[in-house]
């Protein structure tokens, strides 16, 4: 009799599990479908950038580099537009908003000192660092003048806008650098961005699933009520494991070295360096997520926009990646210095 009851309980638990699984997919259907769409777009985006360094259609295909940078410029415009619209109470005019966008685009395409990677315009040493700073100072002065003449645009708005313009410019320039650079130890390109993407995505997915299954202890309830320490630890472990598997595949089966760590006879130091990097960047990914969550909380919005069904806006998907790609580029620059 007891055995029969146990069997019934087992059957009930199995039904309950599949019922929960069904509810999960119905609840997050839009999020899952959008995720597959974003992965497909990401693969195409990475392929376009990879053509520049890979001899697929000839050596150093300029069209590939320019197309990649134009796509990134469009993403930059979308992200900056979401930042602008956070200040809904300011009632900025459409002319002012377009002026901010144009300023951001100009600063994005102005070389940062002597940038020597990528397509033609960045390989001729025609731009000096002082020119970059002078261009930035010119636009800051223009917007300070606008703030002085306008009631709806204050000095605090100038600081807010230029802080985010500079941040987003550095993010996109870091992406362009990592995809389009060929350095003395190894090519960067798509393996580097794939390595960073895996850290970010596995962090998000691991934290999301871990939080749903056994998340109890709130991580930062005043900033992001749904985040838990259990989910964060699960995301961290998942990111480190999957990124190290990716690195192992690259190092053992190809000549790719996603980050230009020193080539030595023994691979042990390289794997140790990658493990430390994966661990650090996983924490950076979660800190970036919290930073943007704080920004949304501060402006009383759930998502930056609704352009991506189930995900929100562009910045809702690029929050962690933006911080990771900046730190990843800094680690790369430190390694080749």
């Amino acid at each position: 009799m007891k055995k029969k009851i146990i069997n019934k309980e087992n059957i009930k638990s199995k039904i309950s599990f599949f019922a929960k699984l069904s509810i999960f997919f119905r609840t997050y259907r839009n999020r899952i479908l959008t995720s597959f769409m974003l992965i497909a777009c990401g693969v195409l985006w990475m392929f376009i950038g990879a053509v520049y360094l890979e001899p697929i259609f000839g050596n150093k295909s300029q069209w590939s580099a320019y197309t990649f940078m134009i796509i990134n410029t469009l993403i930059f415009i979308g992200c900056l537009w979401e930042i602008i619209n956070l200040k809904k109470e300011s009632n900025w005019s459409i002319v002012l908003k377009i002026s901010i966008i144009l300023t951001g685009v100009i600063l994005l395409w102005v070389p940062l000192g002597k940038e020597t990677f990528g397509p033609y315009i960045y390989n001729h040493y025609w731009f000096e660092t002082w020119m970059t700073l002078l261009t930035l100072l010119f636009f800051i002065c223009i917007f300070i003048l606008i703030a002085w003449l306008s009631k709806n645009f204050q000095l605090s708005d100038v600081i807010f806008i230029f802080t985010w313009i500079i941040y987003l410019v550095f993010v996109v320039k870091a992406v362009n650098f990592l995809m389009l650079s060929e350095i003395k130890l190894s090519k960067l390109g798509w393996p580097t961005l794939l390595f960073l993407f895996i850290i970010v995505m596995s962090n998000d997915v691991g934290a999301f699933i871990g939080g749903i299954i056994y998340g109890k202890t709130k991580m930062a309830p005043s900033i992001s009520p749904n985040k838990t320490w259990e989910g964060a630890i699960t995301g961290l472990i998942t990111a480190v494991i999957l990124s190290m598997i990716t690195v192992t595949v690259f190092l053992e089966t190809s000549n790719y070295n996603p980050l230009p760590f020193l080539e030595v006879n023994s691979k042990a130091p390289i794997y140790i360096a990658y493990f430390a990097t994966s661990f650090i960047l996983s924490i950076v990914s979660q800190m970036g997520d919290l930073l943007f969550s704080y920004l949304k909380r501060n402006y009383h919005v759930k998502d930056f926009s609704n352009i991506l069904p189930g995900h929100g806006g562009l910045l809702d998907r690029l929050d962690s990646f933006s911080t990771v790609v900046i730190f990843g580029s800094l680690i790369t620059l430190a390694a080749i210095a």
Side-chain angles (χ1 to χ4, degrees), residues 50-266:
V51 170
Y52 180 71
L53 291 181
E54 300 292 340
I56 302 174
F57 302 111
N59 188 31
K60 297 291 190 297
S61 302
Q62 294 290 318
W63 68 266
S64 169
Y66 281 117
T67 303
F68 183 76
M69 295 176 71
I70 289 171
I71 292 172
N72 291 340
T73 303
L74 295 175
I75 295 173
F76 169 85
I77 292 172
C79 292
L80 186 54
W81 184 258
E82 290 178 351
I83 289 294
I84 292 171
N85 287 328
L86 279 178
K87 285 184 167 284
K88 296 177 181 178
E89 73 282 356
S90 299
N91 296 319
W92 295 342
S93 67
I94 188 65
V95 175
L96 179 58
K97 291 180 179 180
I98 292 175
S99 299
I100 293 171
I101 294 293
L102 289 175
T103 300
V105 171
I106 291 171
L107 292 175
L108 176 63
W109 278 82
V110 168
L112 186 62
K114 293 184 177 180
E115 288 181 307
T116 58
F117 65 88
Y120 179 82
I121 63 170
Y122 289 98
N123 279 312
H124 287 264
Y125 300 98
W126 61 275
F127 215 85
E128 299 291 338
T129 303
W130 66 267
M131 295 181 184
T132 307
L133 297 176
L134 189 63
T135 305
L136 176 61
L137 181 62
F138 169 77
F139 283 110
I140 290 176
C141 291
I142 290 294
F143 279 94
I144 289 176
L145 179 62
I146 293 173
W148 184 59
L149 297 173
S150 173
K151 294 181 179 180
N152 296 330
F153 194 74
Q154 305 300 319
L155 184 60
S156 60
D157 297 324
V158 176
I159 296 172
F160 174 82
I161 286 300
F162 272 91
T163 298
W164 281 101
I165 284 178
I166 292 170
Y167 177 79
L168 293 174
V169 163
F170 271 102
V171 170
V172 177
K173 282 185 175 292
V175 170
N176 291 340
F177 165 69
L178 292 175
M179 176 60 85
L180 303 175
S181 293
E182 187 170 15
I183 58 179
K184 57 185 179 180
L185 293 177
S186 66
K187 290 184 291 186
L188 296 176
W190 67 269
T192 306
L193 287 181
L194 180 62
F195 172 71
L196 299 180
F197 263 123
I198 286 175
I199 289 176
V200 174
M201 288 189 294
S202 54
N203 239 311
D204 286 347
V205 175
F208 180 71
I209 295 176
I212 288 178
I213 294 176
Y214 49 83
K216 293 181 180 179
T217 310
K218 298 297 183 181
M219 185 178 183
S222 61
I223 298 176
S224 185
N226 294 327
K227 287 182 173 58
T228 62
W229 282 107
E230 293 83 359
I233 293 172
T234 303
L236 178 66
I237 295 172
T238 305
V240 171
I241 291 174
L242 291 182
S243 61
M244 288 305 296
I245 291 174
T246 304
V247 166
T248 302
V249 171
F250 278 133
L251 293 180
E252 300 299 334
T253 64
S254 68
N255 293 324
Y256 288 113
N257 188 0
L259 293 175
F261 292 123
L262 183 64
E263 298 284 356
V264 292
N265 294 331
S266 173

